[in-house]
Amino acid sequence: MRQIVVSAVTIFVLSLLSATTHAHNITQILAKHPEFSTFNHYLTVTHLAAEINRRRTITVCAVDNGAMSEILDKHFSLYTIKNVLSLHIFADYFGAKKLHQIPKGSTTTSSLFQATGEAAGTSGYVNITNSKGGKVYFSPQDSEEEATSTFVKSINEIPYVVAVIQISHVLLSPEAEAPAGGPKDLNVTSLMTKQGCKAFSDLLTSSGAADTFSQSLEGGLTVFCPTDESLSNFMPKYKNLTSDGKVSLLLYHGVPVYQSLGMLRSSNGLMNTLATEGANKYDFTVQNDGEVVKLKTKVVTATIKGTLIDEDPLAVFKIDKILLPRELFKAAPPAPAPKSPKPAKSKAKSGSEEDSDAPAPGDDDDSVPADERTDSNAATGIHGGWFIKGILSLFLGVFVCNI
């Protein structure tokens, strides 16, 4: 009976612990294998790596450096390369064991190229065939060849979560190889003007900060645009800033990488901005509350209220408050500690003594409202998993010793 109970508790504890260990990072996985360095590099520069990391059921078909020449020799644009590599990412789990046990010997799965809506018709679907000889073949549905690539080996697997496998050749299809346009024709300020962020757009233009936003666009850009109403209320403080301070504040609302709303919901933590330079951190914390995404500085907390555009390489989100960096504005003061109750029989204090206990007034009019203060307990969520592990491990040890 003792063994049965101990086994049951052990399984229960391990199942809880394993729930916190299924996060994966495709860049780190492939970094351990230099023969995939080119493939790994292009996953990063096309922002596909971030998309892979946020998904929880996925297969990545990597090709080695030699096979990547099939793409690079054609001198595709970066956006066409992204479409081709998207064919190598399946929205389902196919570990080595599953590949060799495909029912009826063949199946069709959708790739990220199909899931993003870039592919037309059945383009973006990949046929997988387990032949009688034990070889597994991969071929895009719109490919002119029946079998373009074969399974080589498994690189890394987390069962039914992520499978990283090697295939022999790049998967090519006419649709994926078609020329893909870049962001050259996108005008960030015009887009914001039409979507309710005209005041912020005008400030970018008048300050010259718009040039930095435009130059960052090709490599990926995320913009957090305050509403016209919130900016109107803030203008008196904005006018008091120096010219450099105004530019830094505006650049603080841009992030030099593409971050979709889904990525923001799954990647809490510090984020650098276009204003980050050397000792001037100009960073803020992304934190989600369910489906709600909040941006926390040391001064204020803003909430994403809408999406103007969310299409790689550009994402523009509307926020309800101006992001105030601690480099330019006073940090929110910590909440005062609760006072301990005074003894009932103590004598009444004199007026001067009572005044000494009163909280000191703010030094100026820049004190921050209570609803904008950062939550000092926000960071505890980061370590919550380790706390649970410690408690469960202690419980298991005490339980076993007393059986």
Side-chain angles (χ1 to χ4, degrees):
M1 179 65 183
R2 175 180 176 178
Q3 291 180 336
I4 295 175
V5 173
V6 171
S7 298
V9 174
T10 301
I11 293 172
F12 172 72
V13 172
L14 292 177
S15 66
L16 289 178
L17 298 184
S18 64
T20 64
T21 61
H22 278 173
H24 54 272
N25 186 305
I26 187 62
T27 305
Q28 293 178 2
I29 291 172
L30 292 176
K32 299 176 183 178
H33 306 273
E35 65 270 29
F36 302 109
S37 60
T38 304
F39 184 83
N40 197 13
H41 167 74
Y42 280 99
L43 287 184
T44 300
V45 298
T46 58
H47 308 295
L48 288 172
E51 187 68 20
I52 292 169
N53 293 340
R54 80 175 185 85
R55 291 176 177 260
R56 290 298 173 263
T57 304
I58 200 161
T59 299
V60 179
C61 300
V63 294
D64 63 23
N65 297 338
M68 277 294 292
S69 63
E70 295 180 59
I71 298 177
L72 302 181
D73 288 348
K74 296 184 178 182
H75 304 290
F76 289 141
S77 71
L78 184 62
Y79 307 99
T80 299
I81 291 176
K82 179 183 178 181
N83 287 343
V84 173
L85 294 186
S86 295
L87 272 175
H88 296 70
I89 304 166
F90 303 157
D92 198 356
Y93 175 81
F94 286 96
K97 183 178 180 180
K98 184 177 179 179
L99 287 172
H100 290 290
Q101 295 179 348
I102 296 175
K104 298 181 181 180
S106 66
T107 188
T108 299
T109 188
S110 64
S111 69
L112 202 57
F113 184 45
Q114 174 66 36
T116 56
E118 296 293 332
T122 59
S123 298
Y125 287 96
V126 177
N127 296 324
I128 305 175
T129 304
N130 180 26
S131 69
K132 294 181 180 180
K135 280 192 173 184
V136 179
Y137 295 91
F138 301 85
S139 179
Q141 276 204 346
D142 65 338
S143 174
E144 297 176 357
E145 302 179 26
E146 292 185 3
T148 60
S149 187
T150 58
F151 171 74
V152 177
K153 66 180 181 180
S154 173
I155 300 172
N156 185 281
E157 296 183 17
I158 300 176
Y160 304 104
V161 178
V162 59
V164 184
I165 63 176
Q166 180 185 359
I167 60 176
S168 61
H169 295 84
V170 171
L171 301 176
L172 296 173
S173 78
E175 185 72 19
E177 294 179 72
K184 296 179 181 178
D185 296 330
L186 288 176
N187 188 309
V188 180
T189 53
S190 296
L191 180 65
M192 289 191 289
T193 297
K194 296 176 181 178
Q195 297 293 333
C197 287
K198 184 180 185 303
F200 185 72
S201 175
D202 290 344
L203 289 179
L204 290 180
T205 302
S206 62
S207 67
D211 292 339
T212 303
F213 280 76
S214 298
Q215 293 165 7
S216 303
L217 183 56
E218 188 166 354
L221 177 66
T222 303
V223 182
F224 300 101
C225 178
T227 61
D228 288 355
E229 181 181 1
S230 63
L231 194 54
S232 175
N233 297 330
F234 175 75
M235 283 307 295
K237 291 183 179 179
Y238 177 81
K239 291 177 180 178
N240 288 332
L241 294 173
T242 64
S243 297
D244 288 344
K246 291 175 181 177
V247 171
S248 295
L249 176 67
L250 297 173
L251 294 180
Y252 189 57
H253 290 73
V255 175
V257 293
Y258 167 73
Q259 293 278 349
S260 68
L261 188 59
M263 293 176 187
L264 292 172
R265 285 172 176 161
S266 62
S267 58
N268 292 350
L270 284 176
M271 185 171 289
N272 290 332
T273 67
L274 292 174
T276 302
E277 184 178 2
N280 297 321
K281 293 185 177 180
Y282 280 99
D283 54 17
F284 56 78
T285 300
V286 177
Q287 183 174 349
N288 63 60
D289 181 10
E291 296 296 302
V292 178
V293 178
K294 296 181 180 293
L295 311 177
K296 292 191 172 187
T297 77
K298 295 294 183 181
V299 185
V300 70
T301 298
T303 302
I304 293 180
K305 291 297 185 181
T307 302
L308 275 62
I309 183 173
D310 187 355
E311 184 177 345
D312 194 1
L314 175 65
V316 182
F317 303 105
K318 188 178 292 186
I319 56 176
D320 62 347
K321 296 176 184 176
I322 312 298
L323 296 177
L324 304 179
R326 61 184 175 182
E327 288 81 1
L328 296 176
F329 299 90
K330 286 181 57 178
K339 297 180 180 179
S340 57
K342 295 180 175 61
K345 294 183 180 181
S346 62
K347 295 181 180 181
K349 293 184 179 181
S350 65
S352 61
E353 289 177 325
E354 290 176 354
D355 291 340
S356 66
D357 286 340
D363 295 333
D364 52 37
D365 292 334
D366 283 335
S367 56
V368 180
D371 66 340
E372 296 183 2
R373 293 176 184 170
T374 55
D375 185 358
S376 61
N377 295 323
T380 59
I382 299 174
H383 304 292
W386 294 106
F387 176 76
I388 293 173
K389 291 182 180 181
I391 293 297
L392 291 175
S393 299
L394 179 62
F395 167 76
L396 179 57
V398 173
F399 182 82
V400 172
C401 291
N402 287 278
I403 292 180

